[in-house]
């Protein structure tokens, strides 16, 4: 029998209290911003899929803290409820039955789904509303609903398909990583509610260190491909997973293998944006040259007379 090490989650970091404010912002949608002078310590939520029992305590805690309500619903033959993220449900449990092709064993894979808080957030890049989406220097990506115009571009820009548009107020909603709790030195509500410590929260360095211990444990138990999901395609995330089969993240309810911001967003906000501005400038110059060369349009007495005749004939 293989030996394994039981690794306890780290104690909450006392210096995570940050008091998030405008001065701590590093990015603001559709706006230029001066980066924060004093960068806050990067935070992260680590979700150990191997320890999750699918109890949904995190879902309940999320609903309670954010004062949200969802309908009771009906049993349709699946544990997934609700079946997808909604403007009122910022996190959902996704259940997958997977047959391991090597061992032929049936594995029960349960993944907590929600905003990944990308270091390079596609939602923020795609948003055309100034200041509707912001990112703090600790990595948290948050929405300012007063500035949201409900266009849905954030949904298209997100490589994880996370934000949802409300049919009630036409605003976009997603997990905030409990930025209000973090601002006063507390961790996310879901992490506090998890009975198996499958969800832990702290600085990103601490979470990576904790993940190393968990990965070592999993490998000692036969999961040779155990690893950390912190995708480089979005410069890493502030919600990370410990996966038993990190080489196949897609088996965990279609977790993207190599998430990247859509090239359309990159073009729209990059080369295409400046090409459009250049075209507008060119047309403005052409109009100015035309005005200088030909002068302003003037109405001649003959034009006035013809107009009066036409008006008289119609009346």
């Amino acid at each position: 029998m293989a030996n394994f090490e039981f690794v306890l989650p780290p104690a909450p970091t006392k210096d995570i209290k940050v008091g998030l404010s405008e001065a701590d912002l590093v990015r603001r949608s559709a706006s230029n911003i001066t980066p924060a002078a004093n960068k806050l310590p990067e935070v992260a939520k680590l979700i150990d899929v191997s320890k999750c029992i699918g109890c949904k305590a995190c879902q309940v805690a999320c609903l309670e803290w954010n004062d949200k309500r969802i309908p009771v619903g009906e049993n349709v033959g699946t544990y997934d409820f609700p079946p997808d993220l909604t403007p009122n449900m910022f996190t959902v449990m996704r259940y997958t039955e997977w047959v391991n092709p090597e061992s032929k064993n049936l594995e029960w894979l349960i993944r907590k789904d929600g905003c990944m808080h990308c270091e390079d957030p596609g939602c923020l890049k795609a948003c055309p509303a100034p200041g509707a989406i912001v990112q703090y220097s600790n990595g948290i990506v948050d929405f300012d609903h007063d500035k949201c115009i409900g266009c849905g571009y954030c949904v298209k820009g997100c490589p994880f398909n996370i934000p949802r548009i409300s049919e009630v107020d036409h605003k976009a909603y997603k997990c905030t990583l409990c930025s209000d709790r973090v601002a006063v030195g507390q961790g996310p509500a879901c992490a506090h509610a998890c009975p198996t410590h499958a969800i832990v929260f702290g600085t990103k360095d601490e979470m990576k260190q904790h993940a190393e211990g968990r990965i070592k444990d999993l490998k000692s138990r036969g999961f040779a491909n155990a690893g950390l999901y912190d995708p480089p395609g979005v410069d890493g995330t502030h919600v990370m997973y410990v996966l038993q089969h990190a080489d196949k993240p897609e088996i965990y309810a279609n977790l993207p293998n190599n998430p990247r911001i859509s090239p359309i967003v990159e073009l729209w906000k990059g080369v295409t944006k400046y090409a459009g501005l250049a075209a507008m400038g060119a047309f403005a110059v052409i109009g100015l040259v035309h005005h200088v060369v030909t002068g302003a349009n003037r109405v001649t007495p003959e034009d006035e007379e013809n107009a009066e005749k036409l008006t008289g004939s119609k009346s």
Side-chain angles (χ1 to χ4, degrees):
M1 181 176 178
N3 295 323
F4 64 89
E5 177 185 0
F6 181 73
V7 183
L8 289 171
T13 304
K14 294 181 179 180
D15 63 355
I16 270 185
K17 183 175 181 179
V18 294
L20 301 178
S21 67
E22 287 279 324
D24 300 310
L25 295 179
V26 290
R27 291 188 182 93
R28 184 186 284 120
S29 59
S31 308
N32 293 323
I33 186 172
T34 302
N38 298 316
K39 193 174 186 299
L40 300 170
E42 288 189 60
V43 297
K45 179 168 67 178
L46 180 67
I47 303 170
D48 188 344
V49 173
S50 69
K51 295 174 70 174
C52 178
I53 59 175
C55 67
K56 299 188 180 181
C58 55
Q59 284 191 188
V60 175
C62 182
L63 286 170
E64 182 176 324
W65 180 257
N66 291 290
D67 195 24
K68 299 292 183 180
R69 302 290 183 271
I70 60 172
V72 174
E74 298 178 0
N75 189 323
V76 292
T78 176
Y79 286 108
D80 296 23
F81 181 79
D84 198 6
L85 297 167
T86 73
N88 289 324
M89 178 60 82
F90 303 156
T91 186
V92 296
M93 304 305 298
R94 301 196 184 276
Y95 302 81
T96 304
E97 293 181 351
W98 181 70
V99 178
N100 191 320
E102 296 179 3
S103 65
K104 307 302 180 184
N105 292 330
L106 175 65
E107 296 187 22
W108 189 228
L109 307 177
I110 309 171
R111 177 171 71 87
K112 177 183 180 298
D113 192 14
C115 178
M116 299 295 289
H117 294 269
C118 305
E119 179 63 23
D120 184 18
C123 59
L124 189 150
K125 278 191 171 180
C127 179
I133 305 179
V134 298
Q135 183 179 35
Y136 295 101
S137 60
N138 63 2
I140 293 179
V141 180
D142 208 350
F143 284 11
D144 185 339
H145 295 107
D146 291 336
K147 299 174 182 176
C148 177
I149 59 176
C151 64
Y153 286 3
C154 57
V155 182
K156 302 298 182 183
C158 175
F160 295 96
N161 187 33
I162 295 299
R164 294 293 184 268
I165 306 298
S166 170
E167 295 182 359
V168 177
D169 62 4
H170 306 290
K171 306 288 186 179
Y173 290 89
K174 70 170 189 66
C175 160
T176 66
L177 203 58
C178 284
S179 58
D180 50 351
R181 292 174 59 92
V182 173
V184 294
Q186 298 178 340
C190 58
H192 280 258
C194 182
T196 63
H197 297 296
I199 308 172
V200 290
F201 180 78
T203 67
K204 187 160 184 178
D205 289 340
E206 287 175 339
M207 295 300 98
K208 284 185 174 182
Q209 184 177 358
H210 179 57
E212 288 177 5
R214 292 297 306 136
I215 292 165
K216 179 182 177 181
D217 174 37
L218 288 169
K219 287 185 175 181
S220 73
R221 291 192 276 147
F223 295 100
N225 295 313
L228 179 67
Y229 185 84
D230 183 25
V234 289
D235 292 342
T237 54
H238 294 273
V239 174
M240 304 181 293
Y241 292 104
V242 170
L243 304 176
Q244 305 100 310
H245 309 284
D247 58 324
K248 295 185 283 287
E250 63 276 5
I251 67 176
Y252 297 86
N254 299 315
L255 185 62
N257 195 317
N258 185 25
R260 294 180 181 276
I261 298 174
S262 168
I264 297 175
V265 173
E266 297 284 9
L267 285 172
W268 176 43
K269 292 289 187 174
V271 177
T272 308
K273 174 183 177 180
Y274 294 108
L277 292 173
M280 292 171 61
F283 281 117
V285 170
I286 291 171
L288 178 62
V289 171
H290 180 270
H291 176 76
V292 171
V293 173
T294 64
N297 290 333
R298 301 182 184 281
V299 179
T300 65
E302 185 179 353
D303 291 332
E304 291 279 7
E305 185 179 346
N306 290 333
E308 289 177 1
K309 288 180 179 180
L310 289 172
T311 305
S313 63
K314 287 181 179 179
S315 59

